[in-house]
């Protein structure tokens, strides 16, 4: 087998506290925060002088993780407007299964979440939507219908 599992998804942010608050409200648990710097960080990223703060969050089932990184140096580079459309090449979105999509959207709105489109019904299987959260991160929500 080539891989064992997907370990985490990494997202670079400017406002670490706002991003953590958003994902904790979504239902993730903050595992911890740390500073990363030095030779290993430089070697992994291909950058010189890496110094960043990271936060690791995990899903309630313990199987998935999200790593947030705030670069102190070198400075983070903007990839363009934060309200980019959904069809931009590259990172698409992070999708989460939720119990109640309407409630989840309502709880995330005070944390800056805005629907990209609207809540849509896929056959008799799912309610789906995309939200734009802090830093312009697109988060997908899926509620399985019973």
């Amino acid at each position: 087998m080539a891989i064992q599992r997907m370990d985490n998804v990494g997202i670079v942010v400017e406002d670490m506290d706002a991003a953590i608050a958003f994902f904790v409200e979504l239902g993730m648990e903050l595992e911890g925060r740390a500073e990363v710097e030095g030779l290993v960080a430089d070697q992994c990223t291909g950058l010189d002088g890496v110094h960043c703060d990271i936060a690791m969050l995990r899903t309630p089932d313990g199987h998935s993780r999200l790593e947030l990184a705030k670069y102190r140096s070198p400075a983070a580079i903007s990839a363009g407007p934060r309200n980019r459309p959904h069809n931009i090449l590259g990172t698409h979105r992070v999708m989460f299964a939720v119990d109640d999509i309407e409630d989840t959207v309502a709880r995330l709105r005070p944390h800056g979440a805005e629907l990209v489109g609207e809540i849509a019904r896929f056959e008799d299987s799912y309610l789906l939507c995309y939200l734009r959260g802090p830093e312009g991160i697109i988060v997908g929500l899926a509620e399985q219908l019973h």
Side-chain angles (χ1 to χ4, degrees):
M1 180 182 298
I3 62 172
Q4 296 175 354
R5 67 180 181 279
M6 187 168 92
D7 192 66
N8 70 67
V9 173
I11 300 175
V12 175
V13 299
E14 283 183 325
D15 188 337
M16 179 71 80
D17 292 332
I20 289 170
F22 177 85
F23 287 106
V24 166
E25 183 63 39
L26 179 59
M28 297 190 82
E29 181 179 329
L30 179 63
E31 286 188 330
R33 294 175 77 152
E35 282 186 50
V36 176
E37 61 183 327
L39 182 60
V40 172
D42 290 0
Q43 289 174 325
C44 286
T45 62
L47 300 170
D48 291 323
V50 170
H51 184 192
C52 66
D53 299 314
I54 63 167
M56 190 67 75
L57 297 108
R58 79 168 168 263
T59 55
D61 66 3
H63 294 294
S64 301
R65 288 182 174 70
L66 187 67
E67 179 182 300
L68 303 175
K70 177 180 177 161
Y71 277 80
R72 294 182 185 192
S73 68
I77 299 170
S78 174
R82 294 191 177 181
N83 62 346
R84 297 181 306 228
H86 193 265
N87 61 341
I88 293 292
L89 294 173
T91 303
H92 185 60
R93 51 114 177 105
V94 179
M95 178 71 83
F96 295 94
V98 298
D99 293 329
D100 183 335
I101 201 167
E102 301 264 352
D103 176 67
T104 304
V105 170
R107 288 186 300 104
L108 292 175
R109 284 189 193 275
H111 295 276
E114 297 177 3
L115 284 168
V116 172
E118 58 189 74
I119 296 173
R121 183 183 191 100
F122 177 71
E123 299 175 350
D124 289 328
S125 301
Y126 288 94
L127 292 177
L128 303 165
C129 73
Y130 294 147
L131 296 173
R132 192 176 311 280
E135 313 287 340
I137 299 165
I138 296 178
V139 173
L141 302 177
E143 175 186 337
Q144 187 169 11
L145 301 173
H146 303 283

